[in-house]
Amino acid sequence: MSRKDDGGRHSHVLLGRRTCECNILGSLGRCKLALGEYENAITCFNEQWSIARKLDLSEQQARAAQDLGVASLAQARVANRLAGAASDTPDASSRAAALLGDGLHWLQTAYELAQSHGLVVEVKIDTLLHLSFLYFDMGEEETAQDYLKQHLRAEVDISRTWCRGCGQKRGGEEATMLTCGGGGVAPF
């Protein structure tokens, strides 16, 4: 075996390790998000974004962007509650607005990546739902409704071919399944 072959294998091992690190950071960030540790979650998602971008992993980039948007939205909601409790503190209100702006940026980035790279449908669909939440929090109910309609339309469209409950692919028009394998959900 030549040195060149060893170098190629070594680079594949490094790429695999960095990809795993990217996945682990995403999982850790989602755990931190669930625990309400938004700053820690955002740190993990930023690292995931950075690695995914360097390695040109478009799906991981979209997921990291989506998670950054969700974490920013959650953090903005907390800042809004704090601003409401301390109405004499304008800093909390401006912080919430800045976080909503960050959330909007990241969710739009996730959606654009999902669209342009033809990524996993759930990234696109879930991002539409989170954009609806974000616009509602921003007081833009009509825009929130538009995103919610897009989300629901996409859910109904995809449910004809794929069960979001169990992940099972449906058989197509001529062989539609009556219920999915795990959740017992009937198709539309």
Side-chain angles (χ1 to χ4, degrees), residues 49-64:
W49 168 264
S50 177
I51 292 169
R53 192 159 183 199
K54 283 179 190 169
L55 299 178
D56 197 27
L57 303 171
S58 53
E59 184 175 336
Q60 291 299 333
Q61 277 183 268
R63 289 185 187 278

Side-chain angles (χ1 to χ4, degrees), residues 8 39 61 125 164:
E39 288 293 330
Q61 277 183 268
I125 291 174
R164 293 253 307 189

Side-chain angles (χ1 to χ4, degrees), residues 12 18 21 37 46 55 60 64 76 79 99 114 120 123 135 140 144 151 158 165 171 177-178 180:
H12 285 294
R18 295 293 287 175
E21 183 181 356
E37 298 177 13
N46 273 320
L55 299 178
Q60 291 299 333
L99 288 165
V120 179
V123 173
Y135 277 106
E140 297 182 30
H151 165 77
I158 196 68
M177 61 181 179
L178 296 177
C180 71

Side-chain angles (χ1 to χ4, degrees), residues 60-88:
Q60 291 299 333
Q61 277 183 268
R63 289 185 187 278
Q66 181 185 50
D67 288 336
L68 278 162
V70 170
S72 296
L73 176 58
Q75 199 171 23
R77 287 178 172 164
V78 170
N80 258 340
R81 261 185 259 132
L82 293 174
S87 58
D88 60 336

